[in-house]
Amino acid sequence: MSESLRAALSEQKLPSWACDICSISYGSTVAQLPSDIQVATAGDEKALHHFFTTLLTRRVREPYLKAKKCLPHSNYMLDQELVEQMDVSIRTKNCLGRYLRSESEPVTISELTFGDLTSIPHMGAKSVIEFLSYMEGYKPIVPASQTEPDIKQLQQKLDNLVFELRWQPWVASIVCGDSRFPEIIRPIGNIHLSRGDTFESLLEGLSDFSLNYPAPLINAAIGILESVERTVKNIEALPLDEVLKDFVSAQLKRGKKENLKALYARFGLVREERVTLEEAGQMIGVTRERVRQIEKKITDSIVVGFQPTFMPGLNEAISLLNAHIGMNVLEYSDLLQAKGITRSHISAEGIIHFSELCNYEGVEVEIKRLSDGTKVLNREDFNVQRIRTIFGRLLSRNGIADIHIAARHFDIDESEFIPIAQQFLSAVPGWEALDDESRWWIYTGETGSGRNRLINIARKILSVSNPISVDELREGYLKAARLRNSSNPVYSGDWEIKVPSRNAMLMFFSKIDDYSVNDEMIFTSSLLDYREELGDVERTIVEVFQNSPSGVLRRNDVVKECVKRGINKNSLVLYTSYSPIIQHIAQDTFKLVGKQIAAEALSAHQDALAKKLKRRAVLVSDWKDGKIRICIRCPESTATMVLGIPATFRAFLGGKSFEAYEISGERVGTIASKENQGNMWGMGAFCRKNGLEENDILSMEFDIAAGTVLLYQSVLSEILDDID
């Protein structure tokens, strides 16, 4: 408990029940309480807390306590900056903020009395105790005059923290406006998240933050990140029922907490089923209309983005729901407890309700009442609301949503799904088809975040070369997508980042403000500065190429020059392979994207290789890890593509059929050939599904023993060094 409160109430005798809870003798006073009170249950802790808040409310009317200084040894000034830093409730912050605005003179904390604090409007005993507890452990932020080594340590700490957190799976699920994370709504420097922006957006904004701001702001940023991380760990340690109850109560910023019992029942946090408005009203003695108003206030305050709201355990509960079709809903509630997912009861209806509120896709059941009144779990045929969720998630990954990829997330045939999805999206404001076939979709309405992965990568490339051809933009986007798909498990399987077709990209940028398209070249209305659009490594790479007379460099030369400028060598290996601003134009030959290179700058060998590549359909045919690898350049018509089998492998591939699979493991038809012919066919299904076009690179790896073939799209720069 607060030491200031202990000193003020030291002579107060404790009731017998409080002595029992704290394991001290009867008749003890507050002064005899142990410094670190240990209680057996959360109920005991709540009872003690209620006792001290009630005691303070009553005793503060006494002249002695009213005039007693709360924190006589705290020689800090109470100002708005300190209030913003406090790890206290929003209510306490708002009360202190209003108090400061009403005072004409500076406020010294050591001069504050209990009477001063309790006289602040709406500042109850709970807020007073919260303020005292925080200030007793308060340590001021290190002043801006600290030494340079200290600043560097702070910068390194923030950079390390940002790097560690951005790979956490929950960063895209926490949004600005979630009442459980009030700290991320406060601005830091010039970073100000809007309602619905994700914590991932904050981390992106903090990537170079330590280089541009003084120590106090760096400390504030560190404090916010650490606070969010602590809150996440606390939530992850709770069972699902407590997570959901805390989530509901966090939305009820004002109002009677006694209403929570009825609200929990209304939201399905009971064994049987969600109660009606009438039943909830009877529980707390109000009308059904008043319950509806409170419930609407809570649901309207819930902020979700395209990603599901951070809710540990809910995915597991949904999986259990889908796996027990036909089970009695009461048995399902008991099963949640038996599996350790919850500690108290949650109804199946409650799980479905929260999955909708928190944007969780994947619920495949509905509640069906049988003739005898029993309720069981029943499979839904189709949920059109999921279309918007799936398209939104695809949009957040790819910048453009492909209806064929979206179809993979539904358990109905693609031919049945596509017209339903097209009709549904056409009726939803903000969604717009890019092409006449309504395959590619974008969202032009208001969203929680204005970020778009395709635009972000395009801005990087256009800051180096403006305008840029759509083919060069696609190649850069594919390289960036490969890096993200391979390094983050969130982007795997059907959720991996896909590359839109040339036509989809052209139509996309023709519809986006500040961009224009002319003769397959993409422009921005205003010039972009690479020094603002790129990070440290890519900015350095641009400067190295700009200092090269020819504009062409070997990989080792790029690495060597960047290392001289202080860039980590290991980072450079990654960037030279995956950065969208670098083009690998020939063997061990690199240039900046979109830059024109004089013919004399390239060696005769590289010129000859470039000409050879343009003529060849089969670019690579070799053995790779015990499999036959063939890389081909797609012809004009990918749907009817036929492969001439290289003579070296005709004996292995001729007259055979191979089951074709994507990297995600999904079957994409069969690739076959006749024994007396040197051709293979069957690649069209993969090309159509993934939007491959003329001159795109299709790679195939044939497993002779298994009778399978793996199909995937390659970038020309990835296979240049393997070409004969």
Side-chain angles (χ1 to χ4, degrees):
M1 67 176 293
S2 165
E3 292 301 320
S4 303
L5 190 62
R6 182 198 298 274
L9 304 174
S10 59
E11 297 179 1
Q12 175 70 42
K13 285 189 176 182
L14 295 169
S16 58
W17 63 265
C19 295
D20 288 336
I21 288 175
C22 300
S23 301
I24 57 178
S25 59
Y26 291 154
S28 296
T29 64
V30 172
Q32 294 173 294
L33 283 170
S35 58
D36 185 17
I37 301 174
Q38 300 291 331
V39 295
T41 67
D44 291 342
E45 182 179 359
K46 186 176 181 180
L48 275 178
H49 189 269
H50 179 70
F51 168 74
F52 284 112
T53 54
T54 304
L55 181 61
L56 178 59
T57 302
R58 186 177 74 248
R59 291 283 306 276
V60 78
R61 300 168 187 162
E62 301 171 8
Y64 157 77
L65 188 59
K66 193 171 185 179
K68 184 175 178 59
K69 293 181 179 178
C70 306
L71 300 160
H73 304 296
S74 183
N75 297 317
Y76 303 112
M77 300 301 296
L78 183 62
D79 54 26
Q80 195 64 42
E81 182 178 355
L82 176 57
V83 171
E84 287 297 321
Q85 293 173 7
M86 289 183 182
D87 188 13
V88 295
S89 66
I90 295 295
R91 181 187 183 91
T92 303
K93 286 187 178 183
N94 289 341
C95 291
L96 292 172
R98 286 193 293 267
Y99 171 66
L100 289 175
R101 288 191 291 272
S102 67
E103 292 295 311
S104 58
E105 298 294 328
V107 179
T108 304
I109 293 177
S110 61
E111 297 298 319
L112 288 174
T113 66
F114 281 93
D116 292 333
L117 291 179
T118 54
S119 65
I120 297 174
H122 308 295
M123 183 100 167
K126 183 177 178 181
S127 293
V128 170
I129 294 173
E130 194 176 22
F131 169 73
L132 295 177
S133 299
Y134 177 85
M135 289 308 304
E136 286 171 1
Y138 173 69
K139 293 182 180 179
I141 293 177
V142 179
S145 59
Q146 62 184 329
T147 62
E148 185 65 24
D150 292 334
I151 295 177
K152 289 185 177 179
Q153 290 176 3
L154 278 178
Q155 292 173 338
Q156 187 64 46
K157 182 177 180 181
L158 177 60
D159 293 343
N160 290 342
L161 191 57
V162 169
F163 180 79
E164 291 171 6
L165 291 180
R166 71 186 310 167
W167 296 106
Q168 296 297 324
W170 42 263
V171 294
S173 301
I174 295 174
V175 297
C176 182
D178 188 331
S179 299
R180 300 170 297 174
F181 302 92
E183 55 271 64
I184 66 174
I185 202 168
R186 299 198 299 269
I188 318 174
N190 65 351
I191 302 173
H192 189 176
L193 297 187
S194 300
R195 183 180 171 89
D197 282 347
T198 65
F199 183 62
E200 186 177 31
S201 302
L202 175 62
L203 293 176
E204 290 179 6
L206 290 174
S207 295
D208 295 325
F209 187 85
S210 64
L211 302 177
N212 305 315
Y213 288 93
L217 277 178
I218 298 175
N219 252 327
I222 292 172
I224 288 175
L225 298 187
E226 290 177 339
S227 175
V228 170
E229 188 177 24
R230 276 196 308 273
T231 303
V232 167
K233 289 180 179 178
N234 291 338
I235 293 174
E236 289 177 333
L238 296 174
L240 178 60
D241 53 308
E242 293 187 22
V243 171
L244 297 177
K245 287 178 180 178
D246 287 350
F247 182 70
V248 172
S249 61
Q251 314 305 319
L252 196 65
K253 298 176 182 177
R254 295 182 178 85
K256 297 179 180 179
K257 292 297 182 181
E258 306 89 73
N259 296 338
L260 283 174
K261 183 179 178 181
L263 289 170
Y264 291 158
R266 179 65 188 150
F267 279 90
L269 300 178
V270 290
R271 182 170 183 259
E272 292 80 11
E273 60 183 344
R274 295 175 61 198
V275 300
T276 64
L277 292 171
E278 187 71 32
E279 292 168 336
Q282 292 173 357
M283 294 173 66
I284 54 176
V286 298
T287 65
R288 64 189 305 278
E289 174 59 20
R290 180 56 185 151
V291 175
R292 187 196 66 77
Q293 291 171 356
I294 297 173
E295 181 180 349
K296 184 176 186 303
K297 185 176 182 179
I298 290 177
T299 55
D300 287 349
S301 68
I302 296 175
V303 180
V304 296
F306 283 137
Q307 299 292 334
T309 302
F310 178 62
M311 205 67 68
L314 189 54
N315 264 328
E316 192 176 356
I318 291 172
S319 298
L320 200 66
L321 197 71
N322 294 334
H324 291 84
I325 307 300
M327 176 179 277
N328 186 300
V329 293
L330 300 181
E331 293 177 1
Y332 169 77
S333 182
D334 295 337
L335 185 60
L336 285 175
Q337 284 186 290
K339 292 284 187 181
I341 299 174
T342 64
R343 189 175 296 161
S344 61
H345 286 299
I346 300 180
S347 68
E349 192 176 3
I351 295 297
I352 295 173
H353 185 53
F354 274 103
S355 70
E356 295 171 351
L357 287 176
C358 301
N359 202 19
Y360 275 73
E361 57 90 15
V363 176
E364 300 173 355
V365 302
E366 58 186 0
I367 309 299
K368 185 175 181 62
R369 186 187 294 272
L370 304 181
S371 56
D372 62 355
T374 303
K375 289 186 174 183
V376 297
L377 303 178
N378 185 57
R379 179 182 172 84
E380 294 179 331
D381 291 327
F382 191 74
N383 180 8
V384 293
Q385 292 294 339
R386 274 192 67 214
I387 296 176
R388 182 161 49 182
T389 300
I390 296 297
F391 271 78
R393 294 182 70 179
L394 290 174
L395 202 68
S396 69
R397 282 163 166 75
N398 304 320
I400 306 175
D402 183 351
I403 201 168
H404 292 289
I405 295 177
R408 302 179 192 178
H409 298 272
F410 293 85
D411 294 330
I412 62 174
D413 291 338
E414 183 176 292
S415 59
E416 181 183 356
F417 168 80
I418 288 178
I420 295 175
Q422 289 172 338
Q423 181 175 338
F424 175 76
L425 291 176
S426 298
V428 177
W431 286 97
E432 182 177 352
L434 288 176
D435 58 332
D436 294 336
E437 296 178 359
S438 297
R439 171 178 180 173
W440 302 96
W441 291 80
I442 60 172
Y443 186 72
T444 57
E446 293 185 4
T447 59
S449 171
R451 297 179 183 273
N452 181 291
R453 192 181 307 280
L454 179 54
I455 290 179
N456 291 344
I457 294 175
R459 288 182 67 89
K460 283 187 173 185
I461 295 175
L462 287 163
S463 71
V464 175
S465 180
N466 191 356
I468 193 74
S469 72
V470 65
D471 291 323
E472 289 174 312
L473 179 56
R474 286 189 78 227
E475 180 176 344
Y477 187 85
L478 178 58
K479 290 165 70 177
R482 288 262 173 131
L483 174 61
R484 186 58 65 94
N485 289 339
S486 62
S487 61
N488 192 335
V490 172
Y491 304 100
S492 60
D494 288 336
W495 290 115
E496 69 179 4
I497 301 172
K498 300 286 188 179
V499 181
S501 70
R502 297 173 74 257
N503 287 339
M505 276 196 175
L506 290 171
M507 289 183 287
F508 174 80
F509 284 103
S510 67
K511 291 179 179 289
I512 301 298
D513 293 339
D514 300 325
Y515 292 86
S516 58
V517 176
N518 184 19
D519 195 22
E520 300 195 347
M521 300 295 290
I522 298 170
F523 301 74
T524 56
S525 57
S526 58
L527 293 178
L528 301 175
D529 188 344
Y530 75 88
R531 290 166 294 189
E532 297 177 359
E533 302 295 333
L534 305 179
D536 288 341
V537 178
E538 289 179 319
R539 280 199 301 267
T540 304
I541 290 173
V542 171
E543 290 165 1
V544 167
F545 274 100
Q546 288 177 342
N547 289 333
S548 169
S550 64
V552 177
L553 291 171
R554 297 172 61 248
R555 186 195 298 267
N556 287 342
D557 293 332
V558 176
V559 173
K560 182 178 178 181
E561 291 300 319
C562 288
V563 169
K564 287 181 181 179
R565 290 166 167 81
I567 301 301
N568 183 277
K569 185 176 181 180
N570 293 330
S571 299
L572 289 166
V573 174
L574 194 68
Y575 277 87
T576 53
S577 298
Y578 293 104
S579 174
I581 68 166
I582 302 176
Q583 281 186 310
H584 188 182
I585 57 174
Q587 287 176 309
D588 201 21
T589 307
F590 297 83
K591 73 177 185 69
L592 288 178
V593 64
K595 298 299 183 182
Q596 298 299 319
I597 305 300
E600 58 270 17
L602 299 176
S603 68
H605 169 74
Q606 292 165 338
D607 285 338
L609 179 60
K611 293 178 182 178
K612 184 178 180 181
L613 291 179
K614 290 182 179 179
R615 293 193 302 267
R616 294 178 56 172
V618 178
L619 302 177
V620 175
S621 58
D622 59 8
W623 289 96
K624 180 184 179 184
D625 300 327
K627 300 176 183 178
I628 297 175
R629 179 179 63 158
I630 299 178
C631 303
I632 64 174
R633 189 190 298 277
C634 292
E636 181 177 358
S637 175
T638 57
T640 58
M641 178 167 38
V642 176
L643 166 66
I645 305 174
T648 308
F649 300 110
R650 205 163 285 171
F652 298 97
L653 304 179
K656 296 181 180 179
S657 296
F658 296 86
E659 294 181 359
Y661 293 90
E662 293 189 78
I663 291 177
S664 63
E666 184 176 352
R667 179 81 182 271
V668 282
T670 301
I671 294 181
S673 69
K674 291 186 178 180
E675 189 163 358
N676 297 327
Q677 297 182 2
N679 296 328
M680 299 193 80
W681 56 87
M683 293 77 75
F686 173 83
C687 295
R688 180 183 63 81
K689 206 170 195 181
N690 291 274
L692 269 68
E693 299 178 341
E694 183 180 7
N695 292 324
D696 284 343
I697 308 301
L698 170 63
S699 292
M700 299 175 285
E701 294 183 9
F702 292 87
D703 189 329
I704 305 301
T708 61
V709 56
L710 179 67
L711 276 65
Y712 55 92
Q713 185 179 0
S714 292
V715 178
L716 183 60
S717 60
E718 295 176 339
I719 63 172
L720 279 174
D721 292 335
D722 296 327
I723 298 175
D724 299 330

